[in-house]
Amino acid sequence: MSGHGAPELDRLDGGDVRVAVVAASWHEQVMGGLLDGALRVLTDAGVTGGRLTVVRVPGSFELPVAAARFARAGYDAVVALGVVIRGGTPHFDYVCQAATVGLTQVTVDTGVPVGFGVLTCDDEQQALDRAGLPGSREDKGAEAAHAAVTTALALRAAAGRGARTARD
Ligand code: DLZ
């Protein structure tokens, strides 16, 4: 998938939004970039203090259960961050599928937006290129945080106009 066509990351006003960031721990350098990008967007949007929670889990396989916990606990949005790098066995496919299907299930079942910041890469260089680190071409942690807050605000505005959501 190409990053071409991604929307501009405009500054958000998330002053009363509660956000949980759930982050895996494999591939720590890349994870550091993803986390920094996500936290920068959230801080810029005013999501700070008690309205921002960050939880680390072991691997991307554990992201859905953590996301589900926060989605059901009244958070307005969840940002899921992870890095899965292809190895020599089919394990890659199972972890990617578990994370993707699991996070999709969480967001659809709860009606809480989940920003999908899970990199699924053939090698470490692809992950570094997308990690928001110095020299990276893309910043997927920032994009995931921006998407989660933008969607939470859009759903709130829609509810205010009479469109009911799964949580109403
Ligand atoms: C086992 C495993 C492997 C091989 N690779 C990754 C990876 O590249 N990225 C990641 O986030 N997690 C990986 N894991 C760990 C699994 O996600 C999970 O934590 C373990 O299977 C324990 O449930």
Side-chain angles (χ1 to χ4, degrees):
M1 227 160 78
S2 144
H4 182 71
E8 288 274 309
L9 299 191
D10 57 334
R11 190 159 187 185
L12 299 169
D13 180 4
D16 61 349
V17 170
R18 284 178 81 201
V19 179
V21 177
V22 295
S25 303
W26 279 64
H27 311 293
E28 202 47 50
Q29 183 188 7
V30 180
M31 282 305 305
L34 294 180
L35 258 174
D36 284 351
L39 294 179
R40 192 181 61 253
V41 164
L42 295 172
T43 303
D44 285 354
V47 182
T48 55
R51 285 180 295 97
L52 175 60
T53 299
V54 180
V55 169
R56 301 301 296 266
V57 295
S60 295
F61 186 84
E62 283 75 36
L63 290 172
V65 70
R69 178 67 62 92
F70 289 106
R72 296 204 171 96
Y75 280 75
D76 299 292
V78 176
V79 182
L81 305 175
V83 184
V84 195
I85 297 183
R86 191 184 291 279
T89 72
H91 207 88
F92 172 86
D93 301 298
Y94 293 113
V95 173
C96 291
Q97 189 182 21
T100 308
V101 173
L103 291 170
T104 304
Q105 194 176 331
V106 169
T107 194
V108 172
D109 287 356
T110 64
V112 174
V114 175
F116 186 71
V118 182
L119 301 182
T120 57
C121 300
D122 287 333
D123 54 45
E124 189 178 28
Q125 189 56 52
Q126 286 185 350
L128 290 167
D129 284 345
R130 292 158 177 78
L133 293 164
S136 297
R137 286 188 287 111
E138 296 177 80
D139 189 346
K140 294 297 183 189
E143 287 180 26
H146 195 278
V149 174
T150 300
T151 306
L153 294 172
L155 293 181
R156 182 183 288 180
R161 290 193 300 269
R164 297 184 68 79
T165 71
R167 299 179 77 199
D168 296 330

PDB file of all heavy atoms in Angstrom, residues 24-27 58-62 82-86 91 95, ligand 1:
ATOM      1  N   ALA A  24       2.401  -2.413  21.328  1.00  0.00           N
ATOM      2  CA  ALA A  24       3.169  -3.652  21.468  1.00  0.00           C
ATOM      3  C   ALA A  24       4.634  -3.311  21.762  1.00  0.00           C
ATOM      4  O   ALA A  24       5.039  -2.140  21.726  1.00  0.00           O
ATOM      5  CB  ALA A  24       3.043  -4.476  20.183  1.00  0.00           C
ATOM      6  N   SER A  25       5.421  -4.332  22.059  1.00  0.00           N
ATOM      7  CA  SER A  25       6.798  -4.094  22.505  1.00  0.00           C
ATOM      8  C   SER A  25       7.862  -4.692  21.587  1.00  0.00           C
ATOM      9  O   SER A  25       9.051  -4.503  21.831  1.00  0.00           O
ATOM     10  CB  SER A  25       6.985  -4.657  23.919  1.00  0.00           C
ATOM     11  OG  SER A  25       6.055  -4.074  24.803  1.00  0.00           O
ATOM     12  N   TRP A  26       7.457  -5.438  20.568  1.00  0.00           N
ATOM     13  CA  TRP A  26       8.463  -5.972  19.641  1.00  0.00           C
ATOM     14  C   TRP A  26       8.988  -4.827  18.761  1.00  0.00           C
ATOM     15  O   TRP A  26       8.246  -3.930  18.403  1.00  0.00           O
ATOM     16  CB  TRP A  26       7.822  -7.020  18.732  1.00  0.00           C
ATOM     17  CG  TRP A  26       7.696  -8.387  19.376  1.00  0.00           C
ATOM     18  CD1 TRP A  26       6.938  -8.698  20.468  1.00  0.00           C
ATOM     19  CD2 TRP A  26       8.339  -9.591  18.965  1.00  0.00           C
ATOM     20  NE1 TRP A  26       7.067 -10.015  20.752  1.00  0.00           N
ATOM     21  CE2 TRP A  26       7.915 -10.611  19.853  1.00  0.00           C
ATOM     22  CE3 TRP A  26       9.218  -9.918  17.932  1.00  0.00           C
ATOM     23  CZ2 TRP A  26       8.353 -11.927  19.736  1.00  0.00           C
ATOM     24  CZ3 TRP A  26       9.637 -11.231  17.806  1.00  0.00           C
ATOM     25  CH2 TRP A  26       9.218 -12.212  18.712  1.00  0.00           C
ATOM     26  N   HIS A  27      10.278  -4.900  18.399  1.00  0.00           N
ATOM     27  CA  HIS A  27      10.940  -3.949  17.506  1.00  0.00           C
ATOM     28  C   HIS A  27      10.935  -2.548  18.127  1.00  0.00           C
ATOM     29  O   HIS A  27      10.267  -1.625  17.643  1.00  0.00           O
ATOM     30  CB  HIS A  27      10.275  -3.954  16.116  1.00  0.00           C
ATOM     31  CG  HIS A  27      10.094  -5.347  15.570  1.00  0.00           C
ATOM     32  ND1 HIS A  27      11.147  -6.145  15.208  1.00  0.00           N
ATOM     33  CD2 HIS A  27       8.976  -6.095  15.385  1.00  0.00           C
ATOM     34  CE1 HIS A  27      10.696  -7.325  14.797  1.00  0.00           C
ATOM     35  NE2 HIS A  27       9.390  -7.311  14.903  1.00  0.00           N
ATOM     36  N   PRO A  58       2.803  -7.183  25.324  1.00  0.00           N
ATOM     37  CA  PRO A  58       3.987  -7.853  24.748  1.00  0.00           C
ATOM     38  C   PRO A  58       4.067  -7.742  23.219  1.00  0.00           C
ATOM     39  O   PRO A  58       5.041  -7.230  22.671  1.00  0.00           O
ATOM     40  CB  PRO A  58       3.823  -9.303  25.206  1.00  0.00           C
ATOM     41  CG  PRO A  58       2.985  -9.224  26.436  1.00  0.00           C
ATOM     42  CD  PRO A  58       2.034  -8.085  26.202  1.00  0.00           C
ATOM     43  N   GLY A  59       3.055  -8.248  22.523  1.00  0.00           N
ATOM     44  CA  GLY A  59       3.134  -8.257  21.065  1.00  0.00           C
ATOM     45  C   GLY A  59       1.847  -7.775  20.434  1.00  0.00           C
ATOM     46  O   GLY A  59       0.845  -7.501  21.121  1.00  0.00           O
ATOM     47  N   SER A  60       1.845  -7.688  19.109  1.00  0.00           N
ATOM     48  CA  SER A  60       0.667  -7.197  18.384  1.00  0.00           C
ATOM     49  C   SER A  60      -0.534  -8.118  18.566  1.00  0.00           C
ATOM     50  O   SER A  60      -1.682  -7.680  18.459  1.00  0.00           O
ATOM     51  CB  SER A  60       0.998  -7.049  16.897  1.00  0.00           C
ATOM     52  OG  SER A  60       1.985  -6.050  16.741  1.00  0.00           O
ATOM     53  N   PHE A  61      -0.259  -9.386  18.845  1.00  0.00           N
ATOM     54  CA  PHE A  61      -1.370 -10.320  19.081  1.00  0.00           C
ATOM     55  C   PHE A  61      -2.203  -9.880  20.280  1.00  0.00           C
ATOM     56  O   PHE A  61      -3.416 -10.146  20.330  1.00  0.00           O
ATOM     57  CB  PHE A  61      -0.802 -11.727  19.320  1.00  0.00           C
ATOM     58  CG  PHE A  61      -1.849 -12.796  19.435  1.00  0.00           C
ATOM     59  CD1 PHE A  61      -2.374 -13.391  18.299  1.00  0.00           C
ATOM     60  CD2 PHE A  61      -2.317 -13.207  20.684  1.00  0.00           C
ATOM     61  CE1 PHE A  61      -3.351 -14.369  18.405  1.00  0.00           C
ATOM     62  CE2 PHE A  61      -3.294 -14.187  20.792  1.00  0.00           C
ATOM     63  CZ  PHE A  61      -3.810 -14.770  19.654  1.00  0.00           C
ATOM     64  N   GLU A  62      -1.574  -9.206  21.234  1.00  0.00           N
ATOM     65  CA  GLU A  62      -2.273  -8.792  22.459  1.00  0.00           C
ATOM     66  C   GLU A  62      -2.980  -7.440  22.301  1.00  0.00           C
ATOM     67  O   GLU A  62      -3.660  -6.988  23.235  1.00  0.00           O
ATOM     68  CB  GLU A  62      -1.286  -8.713  23.631  1.00  0.00           C
ATOM     69  CG  GLU A  62      -0.888 -10.058  24.220  1.00  0.00           C
ATOM     70  CD  GLU A  62       0.088 -10.845  23.356  1.00  0.00           C
ATOM     71  OE1 GLU A  62       0.963 -10.222  22.719  1.00  0.00           O
ATOM     72  OE2 GLU A  62      -0.041 -12.086  23.307  1.00  0.00           O
ATOM     73  N   GLY A  82       1.768  -1.192  16.655  1.00  0.00           N
ATOM     74  CA  GLY A  82       2.562  -2.411  16.672  1.00  0.00           C
ATOM     75  C   GLY A  82       3.384  -2.515  15.399  1.00  0.00           C
ATOM     76  O   GLY A  82       3.158  -1.773  14.434  1.00  0.00           O
ATOM     77  N   VAL A  83       4.332  -3.417  15.428  1.00  0.00           N
ATOM     78  CA  VAL A  83       5.178  -3.665  14.255  1.00  0.00           C
ATOM     79  C   VAL A  83       5.322  -5.169  14.109  1.00  0.00           C
ATOM     80  O   VAL A  83       5.766  -5.835  15.052  1.00  0.00           O
ATOM     81  CB  VAL A  83       6.598  -3.082  14.443  1.00  0.00           C
ATOM     82  CG1 VAL A  83       7.414  -3.259  13.172  1.00  0.00           C
ATOM     83  CG2 VAL A  83       6.541  -1.633  14.872  1.00  0.00           C
ATOM     84  N   VAL A  84       4.940  -5.699  12.965  1.00  0.00           N
ATOM     85  CA  VAL A  84       5.131  -7.120  12.704  1.00  0.00           C
ATOM     86  C   VAL A  84       6.001  -7.241  11.465  1.00  0.00           C
ATOM     87  O   VAL A  84       5.688  -6.658  10.417  1.00  0.00           O
ATOM     88  CB  VAL A  84       3.790  -7.863  12.484  1.00  0.00           C
ATOM     89  CG1 VAL A  84       4.016  -9.369  12.578  1.00  0.00           C
ATOM     90  CG2 VAL A  84       2.739  -7.419  13.488  1.00  0.00           C
ATOM     91  N   ILE A  85       7.103  -7.960  11.610  1.00  0.00           N
ATOM     92  CA  ILE A  85       8.043  -8.101  10.488  1.00  0.00           C
ATOM     93  C   ILE A  85       8.091  -9.556  10.049  1.00  0.00           C
ATOM     94  O   ILE A  85       8.234 -10.470  10.882  1.00  0.00           O
ATOM     95  CB  ILE A  85       9.429  -7.569  10.883  1.00  0.00           C
ATOM     96  CG1 ILE A  85       9.311  -6.075  11.196  1.00  0.00           C
ATOM     97  CG2 ILE A  85      10.443  -7.828   9.765  1.00  0.00           C
ATOM     98  CD1 ILE A  85      10.602  -5.386  11.542  1.00  0.00           C
ATOM     99  N   ARG A  86       7.953  -9.751   8.750  1.00  0.00           N
ATOM    100  CA  ARG A  86       7.871 -11.092   8.168  1.00  0.00           C
ATOM    101  C   ARG A  86       9.128 -11.898   8.478  1.00  0.00           C
ATOM    102  O   ARG A  86      10.244 -11.380   8.374  1.00  0.00           O
ATOM    103  CB  ARG A  86       7.694 -10.991   6.655  1.00  0.00           C
ATOM    104  CG  ARG A  86       7.327 -12.289   5.984  1.00  0.00           C
ATOM    105  CD  ARG A  86       7.259 -12.111   4.474  1.00  0.00           C
ATOM    106  NE  ARG A  86       6.131 -11.293   4.044  1.00  0.00           N
ATOM    107  CZ  ARG A  86       4.878 -11.750   3.917  1.00  0.00           C
ATOM    108  NH1 ARG A  86       4.588 -12.990   4.192  1.00  0.00           N
ATOM    109  NH2 ARG A  86       3.918 -10.943   3.505  1.00  0.00           N
ATOM    110  N   HIS A  91       4.021 -17.585  10.782  1.00  0.00           N
ATOM    111  CA  HIS A  91       3.619 -16.885  12.004  1.00  0.00           C
ATOM    112  C   HIS A  91       3.212 -15.447  11.714  1.00  0.00           C
ATOM    113  O   HIS A  91       2.254 -14.928  12.300  1.00  0.00           O
ATOM    114  CB  HIS A  91       4.786 -16.903  12.998  1.00  0.00           C
ATOM    115  CG  HIS A  91       4.364 -16.819  14.423  1.00  0.00           C
ATOM    116  ND1 HIS A  91       4.044 -17.912  15.178  1.00  0.00           N
ATOM    117  CD2 HIS A  91       4.186 -15.752  15.233  1.00  0.00           C
ATOM    118  CE1 HIS A  91       3.691 -17.527  16.385  1.00  0.00           C
ATOM    119  NE2 HIS A  91       3.772 -16.218  16.453  1.00  0.00           N
ATOM    120  N   VAL A  95      -0.178 -13.528  13.153  1.00  0.00           N
ATOM    121  CA  VAL A  95      -0.152 -12.370  14.065  1.00  0.00           C
ATOM    122  C   VAL A  95      -0.812 -11.165  13.386  1.00  0.00           C
ATOM    123  O   VAL A  95      -1.619 -10.452  14.001  1.00  0.00           O
ATOM    124  CB  VAL A  95       1.287 -12.053  14.521  1.00  0.00           C
ATOM    125  CG1 VAL A  95       1.321 -10.746  15.317  1.00  0.00           C
ATOM    126  CG2 VAL A  95       1.848 -13.196  15.369  1.00  0.00           C
TER     127      VAL A  95
HETATM  128  C1  DLZ B   1       5.871 -14.262  18.284  1.00  0.00           C
HETATM  129  C2  DLZ B   1       5.986 -12.948  17.579  1.00  0.00           C
HETATM  130  C3  DLZ B   1       6.769 -12.835  16.423  1.00  0.00           C
HETATM  131  C4  DLZ B   1       7.495 -13.999  15.834  1.00  0.00           C
HETATM  132  N1  DLZ B   1       6.928 -11.667  15.793  1.00  0.00           N
HETATM  133  C5  DLZ B   1       6.281 -10.572  16.277  1.00  0.00           C
HETATM  134  C6  DLZ B   1       6.412  -9.320  15.619  1.00  0.00           C
HETATM  135  O1  DLZ B   1       7.125  -9.131  14.619  1.00  0.00           O
HETATM  136  N2  DLZ B   1       5.715  -8.259  16.135  1.00  0.00           N
HETATM  137  C7  DLZ B   1       4.906  -8.377  17.240  1.00  0.00           C
HETATM  138  O2  DLZ B   1       4.289  -7.374  17.629  1.00  0.00           O
HETATM  139  N3  DLZ B   1       4.795  -9.557  17.877  1.00  0.00           N
HETATM  140  C8  DLZ B   1       5.457 -10.636  17.440  1.00  0.00           C
HETATM  141  N4  DLZ B   1       5.349 -11.836  18.084  1.00  0.00           N
HETATM  142  C9  DLZ B   1       4.645 -11.874  19.389  1.00  0.00           C
HETATM  143  C10 DLZ B   1       3.125 -12.085  19.315  1.00  0.00           C
HETATM  144  O3  DLZ B   1       2.473 -10.899  18.913  1.00  0.00           O
HETATM  145  C11 DLZ B   1       2.593 -12.445  20.729  1.00  0.00           C
HETATM  146  O4  DLZ B   1       3.010 -11.481  21.659  1.00  0.00           O
HETATM  147  C12 DLZ B   1       3.105 -13.796  21.205  1.00  0.00           C
HETATM  148  O5  DLZ B   1       2.755 -14.810  20.293  1.00  0.00           O
HETATM  149  C13 DLZ B   1       2.544 -14.152  22.606  1.00  0.00           C
HETATM  150  O6  DLZ B   1       1.118 -14.206  22.580  1.00  0.00           O
END
